[in-house]
């Protein structure tokens, strides 16, 4: 549930922080799909807008009203039906999809074990036979989990000429419950004063075999696990888990 100003500045921050790897990967998957596509956690449309302009029959859901509001402003009125305020556990459509994606760590926001399984099975029900569900998580950095981050600035710049914007992040980890407690601090200049907004976000981190066991407990028939957005297998240098679940 992105707060208002985190949603307001989302595009500015992540246009700098995210590289093209995941963007190109997910767009390639969408372009390769011949039918309807659903993006879970659509946000402000980082993938969605390019996919729609490329001719994809794509829909998007998100749980954050501010994020959905920003995305709708980018769309022509005739296309706004494609995005809706829904969550991964309970979303519902009266048709099925050839491809469903949950990019940029959406599944890490699902912190409870029962909900993770519920999410996967809800996705499964909305896929056509032969359809795919693709999601990603990061490979846990054990040193960073233990040491955490202390008010680290991850973005500093301007959101418009002469107006500064800065974001910093602090983290601590609950190793038993596999939670990262993330605290964001957003500061920006407005009307000659510095404004501030804080946001707490819990993230569930996953290990390899935990992900495999989770998918195997779900309704999905088969899956593959990749170590980067180039489609390579897992190795010592992998920084991401990309999970491709297949409804056969």
């Amino acid at each position: 549930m992105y707060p208002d100003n985190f949603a307001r500045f989302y595009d500015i921050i992540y246009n700098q922080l995210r590289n093209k790897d995941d963007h190109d990967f997910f767009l390639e998957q969408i372009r390769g799909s011949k039918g309807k596509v659903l993006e879970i956690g659509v946000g402000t449309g980082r993938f969605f807008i390019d996919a729609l302009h490329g001719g994809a029959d794509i829909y998007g859901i998100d749980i954050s009203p501010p994020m959905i509001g920003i995305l709708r402003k980018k769309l022509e009125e005739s296309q706004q039906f494609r995005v809706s305020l829904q969550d991964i556990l309970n979303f519902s459509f009266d048709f099925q999809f050839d491809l469903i994606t949950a990019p940029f760590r959406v599944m890490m926001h699902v912190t409870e074990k029962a909900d993770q399984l519920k999410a996967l099975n809800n996705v499964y029900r909305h896929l056509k036979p032969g359809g795919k569900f693709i999601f990603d998580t990061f490979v846990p950095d054990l040193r960073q989990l233990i040491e955490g981050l202390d008010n680290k600035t991850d973005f500093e710049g301007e959101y418009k000429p002469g107006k500064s914007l800065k974001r910093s992040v602090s983290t601590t980890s609950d190793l038993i419950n596999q939670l990262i407690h993330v605290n964001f601090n957003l500061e920006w200049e407005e009307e000659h004063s510095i404004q501030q907004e804080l946001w707490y976000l819990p993230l569930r981190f996953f290990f390899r075999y935990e992900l495999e066991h989770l998918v195997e407990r779900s309704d999905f028939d088969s899956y593959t696990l990749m170590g980067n957005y180039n489609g390579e297998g897992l190795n010592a240098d992998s920084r991401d888990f990309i999970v491709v679940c297949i409804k056969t």
Side-chain angles (χ1 to χ4, degrees):
M1 298 291 287
Y2 276 79
D4 289 343
N5 287 296
F6 277 84
R8 172 189 175 190
F9 297 124
Y10 182 91
D11 288 342
I12 295 169
I13 292 173
Y14 283 103
N15 282 343
Q16 176 175 311
L17 295 186
R18 296 296 290 175
N19 60 32
K20 290 177 78 271
D21 291 348
D22 66 335
H23 180 272
D24 292 349
F25 169 80
F26 280 106
L27 277 186
E28 182 180 354
Q29 297 298 315
I30 292 168
R31 291 189 186 109
S33 176
K34 304 304 181 183
K36 295 184 184 299
V37 178
L38 174 65
E39 181 182 347
I40 299 172
V42 67
T44 62
R46 188 164 69 97
F47 305 116
F48 182 91
I49 294 294
D50 288 344
L52 185 62
H53 288 169
D57 186 8
I58 189 169
Y59 295 75
I61 63 171
D62 204 287
I63 64 170
S64 172
M67 298 286 272
I68 286 285
I70 290 172
L71 174 55
R72 284 197 172 122
K73 291 178 182 178
K74 298 177 182 180
L75 299 173
E76 296 180 6
E77 187 174 348
S78 62
Q79 298 296 323
Q80 291 183 3
F81 74 93
R82 294 182 176 275
V83 297
S84 56
L85 193 67
Q86 300 193 70
D87 66 66
I88 192 172
L89 303 182
N90 301 299
F91 74 85
S92 179
F93 291 87
D94 58 6
F95 48 83
Q96 292 180 309
F97 299 89
D98 289 81
L99 172 67
I100 298 178
T101 67
F104 200 20
R105 326 306 191 197
V106 166
M107 283 295 291
M108 298 184 70
H109 294 270
V110 185
T111 59
E112 297 297 326
K113 182 174 62 176
D115 286 344
Q116 293 159 9
L117 196 60
K118 181 178 179 181
L120 286 176
N121 289 339
N122 191 31
V123 168
Y124 180 91
R125 287 191 294 273
H126 282 84
L127 282 172
K128 292 181 179 179
K132 294 190 298 185
F133 173 46
I134 307 175
F135 68 93
D136 59 4
T137 73
F138 59 68
V139 176
D141 181 329
L142 298 183
R143 183 181 299 276
Q144 184 168 308
L145 287 176
I146 294 170
E147 295 179 354
L149 298 175
D150 185 13
N151 203 35
K152 178 183 177 181
T153 298
D154 64 354
F155 178 90
E156 190 164 14
E158 293 183 336
Y159 67 94
K160 62 182 180 180
K163 298 296 184 182
S164 64
L165 174 65
K166 177 181 177 181
R167 193 181 77 171
S168 58
V169 57
S170 298
T171 66
T172 59
S173 297
D174 178 346
L175 300 180
I176 295 298
N177 293 303
Q178 290 184 218
L179 286 175
I180 304 172
H181 301 289
V182 185
N183 287 280
F184 288 110
N185 181 22
L186 190 67
E187 298 178 351
W188 69 98
E189 185 181 0
E190 198 156 34
E191 300 300 330
H192 307 293
S193 65
I194 299 298
Q195 305 295 312
Q196 184 182 54
E197 189 168 71
L198 304 176
W199 182 32
Y200 165 70
L201 172 68
L203 289 175
R204 169 72 183 277
F205 60 89
F206 295 90
F207 293 103
R208 171 187 177 173
Y209 292 115
E210 176 186 11
L211 278 173
E212 293 189 2
H213 281 298
L214 175 61
V215 176
E216 289 167 5
R217 289 181 61 217
S218 76
D219 292 334
F220 278 98
D221 307 287
S222 63
Y223 65 93
T224 58
L225 192 60
M226 301 183 297
N228 60 38
Y229 296 103
N230 295 321
E232 298 172 348
L234 289 167
N235 58 55
D237 296 323
S238 297
R239 296 293 177 266
D240 297 280
F241 296 123
I242 296 94
V243 188
V244 181
C245 306
I246 304 168
K247 181 176 181 176
T248 59

